[in-house]
Amino acid sequence: MRFKKTLLNYVGTLLPSLLVMVLSFVRTSVFASELGLGAGGVDALFGTVSGFIHLAEAGLGTAVITTLYRLVAANDHTKINQIMTGARYQMRRVGVLILFMGIAVGIFAPILVNENPFSFGYTYLIWGIYLLRSLIGYFYYSPGPIVRAHQNDYKMQVINMPIQVITVIVEIILMLNGADLVILTIAGMIVSVIQIALSRWYIKKLYPWFQWTSKDQMDLSTKDKTKDLFVHKLSQLVLTSTDTLMMSVFVSASAAGIFNLGYRKVFDAVTRYLQQILFAADSSLGNLYASETKEKKLQVLNEQMDITFFLGAVVIIPMYLLAQPFIFILIKETFDHLFLTVMIILTYYQVTRVAVGTAIDLHAMFKETKMAAIIEAIVNLVLSLILVQFLGVTGVLIGTLISLVVTNFWFYPYILYKQVFDMKPWRYFMKYFSLFGITVVAALIWQFILMPVFITPWNSLNTLGSWFIGATIITAINGVAFLVLFWFGSQGFRTFIGRFLNLAKEAKNRVKS
């Protein structure tokens, strides 16, 4: 049953997400040509600053979901209603705090943008609308965690995906007709209200037993779990968001625009799509980790690890070869090859760490990993601040990469294997380094042998059509090669694919009958 729900989450999430990803690339190209890279830098910067203010949430949403997994397994509807009512109450209090923090931070908004393309007044206006938009989810809270805890994420795509598609299309139309950043942000705010309203209505339909309780019956116990979660939220935000902030302050708004409209847009879109493949099983894993034996958990973790390494190898090599020309096609600007290489390594790690990261989160091991998260954030900030002075935008990413290597990379597997499985993680590291080495060798063979001999003599990859043809050939050959390698070399990979094929065969037989 868990695997079936995982498969439904895959189908319900991935196919629509592919359409949204393609449309988002069109939006990026239109944004760069109509509003400019400077506007893209300001847009990304305010998203980053908004993220830091939202640290006031302190991981409450994650605490609610991890609590609900066990309550759903116990079928305790009364307690779920109490937890969700308590979460709504706490979210509204957080919203008030964020409002005042946003007003205070907004005073300094214009000076955070080096070579600001907008006036001070216009910059303040954009920030004010950003702030209002970010508050909607706190004061108009949706009981979405219930759906996730029940392993039914795919059901929400009936609402979420059409809205995302319509939103991107409307934004493209608005920009082509002269809309500026203010109009786009207001449109996004309106869409957020509509999406939450529809979600609340649909969730009530899915779970008729759900209802908000009275104030004296609500359960506020989840707030006790947020102390350690806050540190992890801060560390993750430093990892994903300070790059934009430092580029904007120490380089220029245009550099931040190239990074966010070009590299981050492309890499985040691909990474997010891969993570949706992997995270589609999260709710099922949450149920599994709440109820299964240690041996079963380890088996599933190994299967998930094999899938992450397979996807990392299949996708990262084509990205290494194809990202630079694609970004130039999108926004007509790129950074150097060293910058691209560091981005590739960071992306590979983000994909291949999903199995361990998911297990850490679902076991709620936030206290055990808190110190590693603190050290990671400090190292990231200090090194990025130093290296940006000497290496510019590339220095920021190198600082991020080093911070991950010295903390997250080795400590998270160590603590997971030690405390959950009573094992040393040497098998994990052996697998990681061997598969990473194979991926690096394969990338070098492509770059120095296969590309010069079979691709570049007839395809320059400088137009969208030629790029698409080259991308199809490279991705197909690389995918088949690693499929064969993992099929014959990975038991976990074969087990997962076998279950997937059996379930598909079962569904096909049902249709026939």
Side-chain angles (χ1 to χ4, degrees):
M1 187 62 180
R2 285 195 195 102
F3 191 76
K4 182 178 179 180
K5 289 205 171 189
T6 298
L7 182 59
L8 288 171
N9 281 332
Y10 283 149
V11 175
T13 300
L14 302 183
L15 297 180
S17 294
L18 186 60
L19 175 60
V20 173
M21 182 171 69
V22 172
L23 286 173
S24 72
F25 290 144
V26 177
R27 179 194 181 277
T28 296
S29 184
V30 173
F31 192 109
S33 63
E34 298 296 324
L35 276 69
L37 295 175
V42 172
D43 181 54
L45 172 66
F46 284 173
T48 297
V49 174
S50 177
F52 276 102
I53 293 174
H54 283 259
L55 280 172
E57 186 255 9
L60 178 61
T62 303
V64 170
I65 291 172
T66 54
T67 301
L68 289 184
Y69 281 134
R70 289 169 176 80
L71 295 177
V72 166
N75 203 31
D76 192 344
H77 293 170
T78 301
K79 193 67 173 176
I80 291 173
N81 289 338
Q82 293 171 346
I83 289 288
M84 290 307 303
T85 304
R88 182 180 66 169
Y89 171 77
Q90 292 175 88
M91 284 295 188
R92 287 175 176 174
R93 295 184 67 182
V94 169
V96 173
L97 177 60
I98 288 175
L99 174 62
F100 286 107
M101 290 174 64
I103 293 171
V105 170
I107 297 172
F108 305 98
I111 65 174
L112 294 175
V113 186
N114 191 14
E115 300 179 14
N116 191 346
F118 303 125
S119 66
F120 271 33
Y122 190 83
T123 305
Y124 282 127
L125 177 61
I126 297 171
W127 171 248
I129 299 171
Y130 257 89
L131 181 60
L132 291 176
R133 179 181 178 180
S134 69
L135 290 171
I136 293 171
Y138 292 95
F139 291 102
Y140 193 34
Y141 185 60
S142 170
I146 294 177
V147 182
R148 189 169 185 79
H150 278 87
Q151 310 171 40
N152 290 327
D153 297 18
Y154 65 94
K155 292 184 178 181
M156 294 307 298
Q157 303 312 317
V158 174
I159 291 174
N160 294 337
M161 284 304 168
I163 287 180
Q164 288 183 39
V165 171
I166 293 170
T167 300
V168 175
I169 292 173
V170 168
E171 286 180 339
I172 292 171
I173 294 172
L174 287 173
M175 285 187 287
L176 290 174
N177 285 276
D180 60 5
L181 205 50
V182 169
I183 299 298
L184 289 181
T185 310
I186 291 174
M189 185 165 58
I190 295 170
V191 169
S192 295
V193 173
I194 295 172
Q195 185 169 8
I196 294 175
L198 290 173
S199 296
R200 285 165 63 112
W201 165 79
Y202 191 56
I203 291 170
K204 184 64 179 173
K205 245 185 120 177
L206 289 174
Y207 308 102
W209 50 264
F210 171 72
Q211 59 182 356
W212 304 110
T213 67
S214 60
K215 195 171 181 179
D216 60 318
Q217 291 181 310
M218 65 184 178
D219 188 324
L220 302 176
S221 62
T222 50
K223 71 179 180 181
D224 298 329
K225 301 180 180 181
T226 60
K227 180 175 66 174
D228 298 317
L229 272 169
F230 173 79
V231 174
H232 288 272
K233 294 277 285 188
L234 175 60
S235 176
Q236 184 63 22
L237 196 61
V238 170
L239 173 68
T240 59
S241 300
T242 52
D243 298 342
T244 298
L245 181 60
M246 291 189 184
M247 289 179 193
S248 178
V249 173
F250 294 105
V251 186
S252 68
S254 294
I258 295 171
F259 175 60
N260 285 279
L261 290 178
Y263 291 87
R264 171 155 281 177
K265 173 63 69 175
V266 172
F267 280 79
D268 279 4
V270 174
T271 303
R272 193 161 46 244
Y273 192 73
L274 291 178
Q275 288 176 339
Q276 283 178 338
I277 296 175
L278 301 168
F279 288 158
D282 264 14
S283 52
S284 299
L285 291 174
N287 180 274
L288 180 145
Y289 284 134
S291 58
E292 288 287 3
T293 64
K294 178 172 66 176
E295 290 73 20
K296 180 64 174 178
K297 293 176 185 179
L298 183 59
Q299 176 191 335
V300 172
L301 176 67
N302 285 329
E303 289 179 19
Q304 194 185 22
M305 283 171 54
D306 288 341
I307 293 296
T308 62
F309 284 114
F310 170 73
L311 291 174
V314 166
V315 172
I316 287 303
I317 292 176
M319 288 185 72
Y320 178 66
L321 301 169
L322 299 164
Q324 202 85 321
F326 183 70
I327 290 168
F328 188 81
I329 292 169
L330 276 185
I331 63 173
K332 302 298 185 283
E333 293 281 354
T334 58
F335 292 133
D336 60 23
H337 188 73
L338 176 60
F339 183 91
L340 172 68
T341 303
V342 180
M343 280 288 293
I344 287 290
I345 297 172
L346 282 170
T347 304
Y348 181 83
Y349 178 68
Q350 290 289 78
V351 173
T352 54
R353 74 179 291 270
V354 166
V356 168
T358 300
I360 290 283
D361 290 346
L362 294 178
H363 281 95
M365 300 177 71
F366 307 116
K367 183 176 181 179
E368 294 85 346
T369 54
K370 181 169 68 174
M371 186 53 65
I374 293 172
I375 296 172
E376 177 191 318
I378 293 173
V379 172
N380 191 346
L381 282 173
V382 172
L383 286 181
S384 295
L385 280 169
I386 294 172
L387 293 175
V388 72
Q389 312 296 330
F390 301 98
L391 300 173
V393 292
T394 306
V396 177
L397 292 191
I398 292 176
T400 300
L401 179 60
I402 294 173
S403 72
L404 288 172
V405 171
V406 300
T407 55
N408 190 306
F409 171 74
W410 67 270
F411 185 74
Y412 278 42
Y414 170 78
I415 201 71
L416 175 67
Y417 277 78
K418 179 183 178 182
Q419 297 202 7
V420 176
F421 305 119
D422 297 321
M423 297 171 58
K424 293 182 179 179
W426 62 271
R427 290 183 184 274
Y428 170 85
F429 288 113
M430 282 184 63
K431 174 181 286 190
Y432 197 103
F433 285 117
S434 61
L435 292 177
F436 178 70
I438 291 171
T439 305
V440 170
V441 171
L444 293 176
I445 291 173
W446 268 107
Q447 182 181 8
F448 295 108
I449 300 175
L450 298 181
M451 286 290 287
V453 175
F454 297 107
I455 304 295
T456 51
W458 61 271
N459 191 339
S460 59
L461 303 173
N462 59 0
T463 66
L464 190 58
S466 63
W467 182 91
F468 181 78
I469 293 170
T472 302
I473 295 171
I474 292 169
T475 304
I477 295 174
N478 189 64
V480 170
F482 276 99
L483 180 62
V484 172
L485 176 65
F486 273 79
W487 181 260
F488 288 103
S490 168
Q491 177 62 48
F493 182 80
R494 287 198 302 274
T495 302
F496 182 89
I497 297 298
R499 284 212 312 272
F500 181 89
L501 294 175
N502 287 337
L503 191 57
K505 185 178 179 180
E506 180 185 325
K508 182 180 178 181
N509 291 336
R510 271 202 210 121
V511 171
K512 284 184 177 180
S513 61

